[in-house]
Amino acid sequence: MITIDQVSKRRGSKQILTEVGFEARPGRVTGFLGPNGAGKSSTLRILLGLDRPDGGVALVAGRPFARLRRPLTTVGAVLDGGGAHRSRTGRGHLRWIAASNGLPRARVDEVLDLVGLTEAAGRRVGGYSLGMGRRLALAAALLGDPPVLVLDEPVNGLDPEGIRRLRVLLRDRAAAGGTVLLSSHLIGELAETVDDVVVIDRGRVVALGTLAEVTGAHRGLEDAFFALTSGTGPGTGHGGRP
Amino acid sequence: MTAAARLPRPGASGASGFSSHSGTSGPRVVAGTFRAEVLKLLTLPALYLTAAITWAVAPLLAVASVSAAAGEGNGPGPGTDPGLAPVGYAQAGFVVLGVLAAASEYRGGQIRTTLTCVPRRVEVQLAKAAALAVTALPVAVATAGSGVLAARAALAAHAPPYGAAGPVDAPGEVRAVAGAAAYLVLTALLSSAVATLTRGTIPAVTVLLGHHFVVGPYLAGRTALTAYLPGTAGLWPGGGTGAGEVLGAGGRWAVVTGWTVAALGVAIVSFRRRDA
Amino acid sequence: MRALRAELLKLSGIPSAWVAVVVGLVVPFAVAALNAGARSAGRAAGGSDPTGVDAGFQELAFGVIGVVVLGVAAASSEYFAEGGDSAGGRQITASLTAVPSRVRFLAAKAGALVLAAAALAVLSTAATLTVSRVVPGEFAAPLTSADAPRVLGVVAYWVLTALLAHGLTLLTRGGVVPLVVLILNTSVVSVTYLLTRVTPLANYLPDLAGARMFVRTFRSSVEIPPLAGGVVMAAWTLALFGVAAAVFLRRDA
């Protein structure tokens, strides 16, 4: 369960987020949708305690992230940018992460196998392709077998096979009672995966609900998206806000 | 291979399929944080390289500087004091060690991974400092040991007063090595604090080496102020104002430790407040 | 010309380059002011230069770490990005796509660096020499037209050092090694000075030879005229930059 409540954030003189609020519920995959710079990453960074909000609260399992004793057993996160040092090996990267939360070392090999990186585990991260870097980040997120997953643009750089595997994995986690929140600007991909949708534009939530609710009378999620957001796409002009 | 073949089976590990977050006691959690920081340092190739080069090159330069001072016949001066020679150039290696240890967090966005593993920022920084101290210590002892031996050998090759080192004074040598090693570890800690503030290697290395090797030594002997700066400058006896005599040995230790603790404190406060 | 402007823009966007500017301006100025103060208070000015003929110039020899940082920052920023949100990291790929000819790319980079280093040197020399003459008042050795070549020497020394640092960074593809080597070597007792104790040939290393362009009092048995010193340093710089360029042109980005 993820609760974002009235979160606001300024950076310099720019208002990044204005009273953003939504929930991601257990057993469901929630898609967090918005154009570039709409505030998706900022919201997720606040949720994970990386950035400080100027107002509002973000809770995971009813608590602020910073209050979790061993966060990896509650939340797994894949953030933009890999999060690994170039000159460490993939296995070395996962080993310190496991150590930080007191997870057994055997978990490292399990998650490496899970994301298909076993063969590359001994190589330095600097030599990984973009997709391999994303898979390593996913492996790190799964280390603690957490009930909550937060993923920022997880399909960036993944090949079609990787995307399919990720989709199945996320559906599976939700089916087992997990909470999954993923941000994306790839609408088509998201429509295939999510149950609920939150649309953010210029730092404000402009729509939220189930996939069907948000799509509404539009032909698809993509049309709904362009109608809801700044409106640079083909859907401009028809349709309103729910 | 199908995708499903590799997916975790729901329910395989307990009713929910997810890890049960059974309560773990505080000390064990902190120990995990510390272990992770040690592992991070031990898996960075650049740190091994720095340690090896420091250990190999610093004693050579110590010998050269002692010989140069003795050969000139005008006595030990800034940078050539036989007592400080083992530390002199070695501190550059420990500056790099400290800076790389801290700045490596900011490569590839690793800091975000670190904070999603351990969101307690003060604990992260304290664990980092402890891990750096523990891993730098053996390198410091080895470097200081060979440095003291090398400087001694270089002195023995010259005529008195430089050659008059006298019989080997074991407790004295051990004290010298221990003192030099402790100073080097403090140097690494101070450097890591500066790099945490700058979040980049180049500004941190510039400020630290510029201070330790250029500005500090150049000011030593011109102003008594250097006695209150970190680095060895205030220890050098050369110069008209006798900066080295402003403070006793205990006072110097207090100054160096004070700067290190203060820098770590400032680094922790800023790390806590800034967005990662 | 367009490539040169792009490189100047890139350089001005690197935070470390601004650290370099501050170091290059403040270090020689502040140390010269302190020394000048000590001189006017009637104290010894520090053994090697009792007449004050090198006042200001000595400090400018140390201030060169400013352009060392500049040269390192200009090269290493191509290879890695640090800090919060590095979208991309290795800028070199983008750079070489924008200017596909690596020779032109290098030439533009060196050109931008030369301009920036020369500008910094001129500013810093003006400030440092002024403070070193004004503060001590009557004790100062006045600047004459005979000092003009020395001022040129300082600028040349700074520009050549920046290029040396840049070439070294292109070779090592990281900023730390060149910074350590070059800053340690700017120290009061430099590594190259220690080497002169072993062999007089060490006097012909770039930093020691180049400093002859403007420093008059030297603790050395070897005499090198200013112009010859400059030529020796320029030859070193050209050679190192040539090697770095050759390696850079052959290697995969």
Side-chain angles (χ1 to χ4, degrees):
Chain A
M1 177 77 153
I2 292 170
T3 312
I4 310 269
D5 190 15
Q6 301 276 305
V7 166
S8 297
K9 170 84 178 170
R10 295 183 73 82
R11 200 163 282 146
S13 62
K14 197 166 173 253
Q15 190 76 30
I16 309 269
L17 299 174
T18 310
E19 297 178 357
V20 169
F22 63 87
E23 282 186 346
R25 293 198 296 275
R28 301 181 75 82
V29 177
T30 304
F32 193 24
L33 203 57
N36 285 332
K40 300 188 297 287
S41 293
S42 297
T43 306
L44 297 187
R45 289 162 62 89
I46 287 170
L47 173 64
L48 296 167
L50 296 172
D51 290 0
R52 224 172 274 271
D54 297 320
V57 284
L59 304 175
V60 184
R63 280 188 293 174
F65 183 82
R67 297 265 287 281
L68 301 170
R69 292 303 285 171
R70 295 164 67 218
L72 293 187
T73 59
T74 306
V75 197
V78 174
L79 288 173
D80 218 8
H85 192 284
R86 294 174 56 81
S87 61
R88 224 175 252 120
T89 63
R91 182 176 277 113
H93 177 65
L94 293 177
R95 277 192 52 196
W96 74 255
I97 295 177
S100 73
N101 275 239
L103 302 167
R105 203 193 282 186
R107 267 307 279 172
V108 169
D109 289 320
E110 282 174 36
V111 292
L112 279 168
D113 183 52
L114 196 64
V115 301
L117 272 182
T118 304
E119 264 123 72
R123 276 163 48 196
R124 297 198 193 293
V125 174
Y128 281 16
S129 68
L130 185 57
M132 288 164 83
R134 303 304 285 167
R135 282 191 276 161
L136 181 65
L138 184 63
L142 294 172
L143 260 179
D145 194 20
V148 180
L149 281 179
V150 175
L151 307 102
D152 195 6
E153 306 282 358
V155 297
N156 268 2
L158 287 184
D159 56 13
E161 157 80 2
I163 294 178
R164 195 166 75 107
R165 272 167 64 165
L166 179 69
R167 187 193 307 146
V168 175
L169 176 112
L170 296 183
R171 293 286 352 150
D172 228 63
R173 302 294 286 193
T179 306
V180 179
L181 174 64
L182 74 153
S183 83
S184 183
H185 57 260
L186 299 178
I187 308 156
E189 172 51 39
L190 213 59
E192 301 275 303
T193 318
V194 302
D195 305 301
D196 297 327
V197 180
V198 178
V199 183
I200 187 171
D201 186 36
R202 293 179 203 165
R204 289 172 197 271
V205 172
V206 293
L208 55 88
T210 64
L211 182 59
E213 283 168 8
V214 172
T215 307
H218 299 283
R219 266 182 301 144
L221 183 59
E222 188 171 51
D223 282 2
F225 174 80
F226 283 120
L228 290 164
T229 59
S230 334
T232 46
T236 313
H238 65 91
R241 299 178 182 202
Chain B
M1 163 155 342
T2 67
R6 280 189 158 171
L7 290 169
R9 282 180 303 280
S13 57
S16 72
F18 304 115
S19 62
S20 53
H21 14 122
S22 52
T24 315
S25 58
R28 264 196 55 197
V29 171
V30 175
T33 310
F34 171 71
R35 242 163 42 88
E37 292 303 328
V38 173
L39 267 176
K40 271 189 208 172
L41 295 180
L42 294 184
T43 48
L44 269 189
L47 293 190
Y48 288 95
L49 206 62
T50 308
I53 292 176
T54 304
W55 178 76
V57 176
L60 286 182
L61 292 173
V63 170
S65 61
V66 169
S67 304
E72 239 167 44
N74 57 3
T80 54
D81 183 325
L84 290 172
V87 172
Y89 288 101
Q91 63 181 337
F94 284 79
V95 163
V96 173
L97 223 50
V99 168
L100 287 183
S104 66
E105 278 291 347
Y106 299 96
R107 299 291 298 275
Q110 185 187 278
I111 187 66
R112 297 195 282 269
T113 310
T114 298
L115 288 176
T116 46
C117 293
V118 185
R120 300 171 299 278
R121 298 190 177 196
V122 176
E123 184 183 314
V124 167
Q125 285 300 321
L126 292 177
K128 274 185 179 306
L132 179 60
V134 166
T135 44
L137 185 64
V139 186
V141 170
T143 307
S146 52
V148 166
L149 285 180
R152 204 188 157 75
L155 282 176
H158 288 278
Y162 309 105
V168 175
D169 158 31
E173 308 287 288
V174 169
R175 253 202 315 279
V177 172
Y183 172 76
L184 292 175
V185 171
L186 287 175
T187 300
L189 288 173
L190 174 65
S191 308
S192 77
V194 172
T196 302
L197 284 170
T198 64
R199 295 186 176 189
T201 47
I202 291 180
V205 169
T206 304
V207 167
L208 289 160
L209 291 187
H211 169 266
H212 285 348
F213 287 90
V214 180
V215 178
Y218 201 73
L219 291 181
R222 286 171 176 79
T223 159
L225 196 75
T226 49
Y228 299 97
L229 293 176
T232 52
L235 288 168
W236 282 327
T241 55
E245 288 131 44
V246 173
L247 299 166
R252 279 298 301 163
W253 277 112
V255 166
V256 175
T257 314
W259 273 97
T260 308
V261 171
L264 285 173
V266 172
I268 289 175
V269 169
S270 108
F271 185 73
R272 239 178 75 96
R273 297 177 55 145
R274 282 156 87 175
D275 287 343
Chain C
M1 243 11 246
R2 236 176 317 144
L4 178 66
R5 225 189 14 242
E7 287 304 326
L8 275 173
L9 266 177
K10 258 200 257 172
L11 196 57
S12 68
I14 308 168
S16 297
W18 293 104
V19 174
V21 170
V22 171
V23 168
L25 286 176
V26 169
V27 167
F29 179 84
V31 176
L34 263 167
N35 275 340
R39 204 186 294 272
S40 63
R43 287 189 227 151
S48 56
D49 182 27
T51 59
V53 66
D54 277 340
F57 289 100
Q58 201 103 57
E59 290 85 348
L60 286 165
F62 296 111
V64 81
I65 60 171
V67 290
V68 165
V69 179
L70 197 65
V72 169
S76 69
S77 65
E78 289 288 344
Y79 283 105
F80 55 79
E82 285 169 327
D85 295 295
S86 52
R90 279 156 59 87
Q91 183 182 274
I92 186 77
T93 327
S95 298
L96 288 178
T97 349
V99 185
S101 156
R102 294 198 184 187
V103 176
R104 269 186 49 209
F105 168 73
L106 263 190
K109 222 169 177 42
L113 185 59
V114 166
L115 286 181
L120 183 56
V122 168
L123 282 178
S124 190
T125 306
T128 305
L129 289 183
T130 304
V131 75
S132 72
R133 307 291 138 160
V134 168
V135 172
E138 55 195 290
F139 299 98
L143 282 177
T144 64
S145 58
D147 288 316
R150 298 174 77 189
V151 171
L152 272 181
V154 173
V155 176
Y157 185 72
W158 280 41
V159 168
L160 290 173
T161 304
L163 287 173
L164 273 176
H166 190 71
L168 213 52
T169 313
L170 277 180
L171 278 179
T172 59
R173 292 209 249 187
V176 173
V177 173
L179 272 185
V180 171
V181 169
L182 292 172
I183 294 182
L184 247 58
N185 210 41
T186 314
S187 175
V188 174
V189 181
S190 67
V191 178
T192 42
Y193 172 72
L194 290 179
L195 273 177
T196 62
R197 317 294 309 176
V198 182
T199 162
L201 282 178
N203 282 296
Y204 293 94
L205 286 168
D207 60 319
L208 290 180
R212 309 278 178 156
M213 288 188 280
F214 56 95
V215 175
R216 289 291 175 259
T217 43
F218 255 96
R219 278 190 294 173
S220 168
S221 50
V222 180
E223 275 300 326
I224 305 175
L227 196 60
V231 170
V232 169
M233 187 181 188
W236 274 103
T237 309
L238 215 63
L240 181 85
F241 209 77
V243 171
V247 170
F248 179 77
L249 294 181
R250 282 155 168 267
R251 135 178 105 192
D252 292 339

